[in-house]
Amino acid sequence: MAHIPERRSLGRRLKPYFAVFDGPLALILFLLLCTGLVTLSSAGHDFPGRLEGQMRNILVAFVIMWVAANVPPQTLLRLAVPVYTVGVALLIAVAVAGTVKKGARRWLHVGVDIQPSEIMKIAMPLMLAWYFQFKQGMVRWHSFIVAAILLVIPVGLIARQPDLGTSLLVLAPGFYVIFLAGLSWKALLGLAAAAGASLPVVWSVMHDYQRERVMTLIDPTSDPLGKGFHIIQSTIAIGSGGVTGKGYMKGTQAYLEFIPERTTDFIFSVYSEEFGLVGNLVLLFLYLLLIGRGLMIAANAPNLFTRLLAGSITMSFFTYAFVNMGMVSGILPVVGVPLPFMSYGGTALFTLGLASGILMSIQRHRKLVQT
């Protein structure tokens, strides 16, 4: 009995440190991460240290999320312009003097190799949310043109590297901010029509490997042992899982090493084969809960900046999941987008942890932010 007060005292001392976390959001993330670790332990059976490495990544992402959750939205508002400016400057530096790996100039060597494009996944929605907060009450049609220019500059620099996947993950949150700021449906339909009309021009400036991905999407059997191998084997794995799956660690496609990148971009194939349609519905339900909680935080946010930022981050989670599941299912081109909180990898998980921490900060400080 003498130890009970001490334990309570320790609990009271620790409680303020964990009070920054939003309970429902933290629970959803915990379930997704646990699902990812279980799947990774099967998918990475022949990758020694992969599971342990992901646990370390999760620990670092947890620290990043905790720090972000403690940063007030007012501080994020002040940081928006400097972070965006530094990010664009680093992208220009990459274009001028970046390190080339595997035919792509995406890294900048500053003692270690860094990938500045990752910064823009958060800097982009921060900047545009700041811009519309600054223009609140004075938003006109030309305001959306300025916002589009702010968006196109980093997206164009990233696409030029070339890095289609990351450029998409920077474009999406920026677009969501512009849309949530009041972009009309007429303007949106006009943009869609313009995008459709520009497809021949886009096709002419695409890199050869990007054209091959599109052609592979249309007919993966045209090169079944080359460019189409990923999609063919992935769709076989998803289909062979049936309704209830083959069972944990019983997926033949993964264990016979037919699925390339099965611990990263194609981890959904392994999950689908082992847990089937039922498992997929459970996973989709978890992502719907994540998106629903994020949108609830956005709806309760106290000012325009926090509403736009929370809404954009939440819809970015949707983009990650939709694009990844679409590409491994053969309905979208393979663009190298990880499955959020499931795929192995540090950089993407750290970015997701930062984004989740920002959502928690907005929820925590919702009564302290001036409208």
Side-chain angles (χ1 to χ4, degrees):
M1 295 298 293
H3 293 289
I4 294 177
E6 182 179 349
R7 282 200 292 265
R8 287 178 178 172
S9 178
L10 178 62
R12 291 193 191 99
R13 290 199 298 269
L14 292 177
K15 185 176 180 180
Y17 295 99
F18 292 95
V20 299
F21 293 122
D22 176 66
L25 181 57
L27 176 60
I28 297 166
L29 296 179
F30 174 76
L31 293 174
L32 282 171
L33 289 169
C34 287
T35 305
L37 287 175
V38 169
T39 309
L40 183 62
S41 67
S42 176
H45 67 278
D46 56 346
F47 292 91
R50 189 59 58 99
L51 183 62
E52 293 78 5
Q54 185 70 343
M55 289 180 177
R56 289 192 295 271
N57 292 336
I58 290 174
L59 180 61
V60 175
F62 175 84
V63 174
I64 292 173
M65 182 172 65
W66 182 84
V67 172
N70 278 283
V71 177
Q74 297 95 322
T75 302
L76 294 174
L77 184 65
R78 290 192 294 268
L79 289 173
V81 176
V83 171
Y84 174 85
T85 304
V86 170
V88 171
L90 290 175
L91 288 176
I92 294 173
V94 169
V96 174
T99 302
V100 178
K101 295 181 181 179
K102 298 181 180 180
R105 191 185 297 272
R106 303 175 184 173
W107 295 267
L108 193 64
H109 188 74
V110 287
V112 295
D113 287 336
I114 62 170
Q115 192 172 354
S117 57
E118 290 294 327
I119 299 173
M120 300 309 300
K121 292 180 181 178
I122 298 297
M124 194 71 258
L126 271 176
M127 179 63 192
L128 291 180
W130 171 89
Y131 173 73
F132 283 110
Q133 174 71 29
F134 176 75
K135 299 288 290 185
Q136 188 174 13
M138 301 180 292
V139 176
R140 302 293 184 268
W141 63 269
H142 51 79
S143 302
F144 293 102
I145 294 178
V146 173
I149 293 172
L150 291 172
L151 176 59
V152 166
I153 291 172
V155 170
L157 288 169
I158 295 170
R160 184 179 178 274
Q161 294 177 351
D163 190 350
L164 184 59
T166 303
S167 65
L168 174 64
L169 296 180
V170 173
L171 174 67
F175 169 77
Y176 291 136
V177 172
I178 294 174
F179 175 72
L180 294 172
L183 184 67
S184 68
W185 283 102
K186 289 182 179 179
L188 192 60
L189 291 173
L191 288 173
S198 66
L199 285 179
V201 178
V202 173
W203 180 264
S204 67
V205 300
M206 288 175 68
H207 293 268
D208 290 340
Y209 82 94
Q210 293 171 337
R211 292 178 187 153
E212 290 172 354
R213 287 181 177 179
V214 175
M215 297 308 296
T216 300
L217 172 68
I218 297 172
D219 183 16
T221 60
S222 61
D223 189 9
L225 299 179
K227 302 298 182 182
F229 188 78
H230 284 68
I231 295 179
I232 292 173
Q233 299 303 324
S234 176
T235 52
I236 289 174
I238 294 172
S240 65
V243 176
T244 58
K246 294 180 178 178
Y248 180 57
M249 290 193 171
K250 294 181 180 179
T252 54
Q253 290 294 107
Y255 273 75
L256 294 177
E257 302 182 11
F258 283 111
I259 305 175
E261 307 297 336
R262 57 189 172 276
T263 62
T264 52
D265 294 347
F266 283 79
I267 195 170
F268 180 66
S269 304
V270 178
Y271 177 85
S272 297
E273 186 179 23
E274 295 187 354
F275 299 103
L277 176 62
V278 174
N280 287 344
L281 291 175
V282 172
L283 184 61
L284 288 173
F285 180 68
L286 288 176
Y287 281 124
L288 286 174
L289 288 178
L290 174 65
I291 295 166
R293 182 56 185 168
L295 292 178
M296 187 177 295
I297 292 173
N300 293 328
N303 61 18
L304 183 61
F305 172 74
T306 50
R307 283 196 298 273
L308 293 178
L309 185 57
S312 173
I313 287 174
T314 300
M315 294 309 296
S316 295
F317 291 157
F318 162 78
T319 301
Y320 269 84
F322 176 77
V323 173
N324 178 273
M325 292 180 178
M327 73 180 192
V328 301
S329 302
I331 61 174
L332 292 175
V334 177
V335 291
V337 174
L339 188 61
F341 306 104
M342 293 274 290
S343 294
Y344 172 82
T347 304
L349 190 58
F350 301 158
T351 303
L352 290 168
L354 176 59
S356 302
I358 291 174
L359 279 180
M360 292 181 180
S361 171
I362 292 171
Q363 174 66 10
R364 180 192 181 200
H365 295 94
R366 64 190 185 281
K367 296 181 181 178
L368 302 177
V369 179
Q370 293 182 354
T371 58

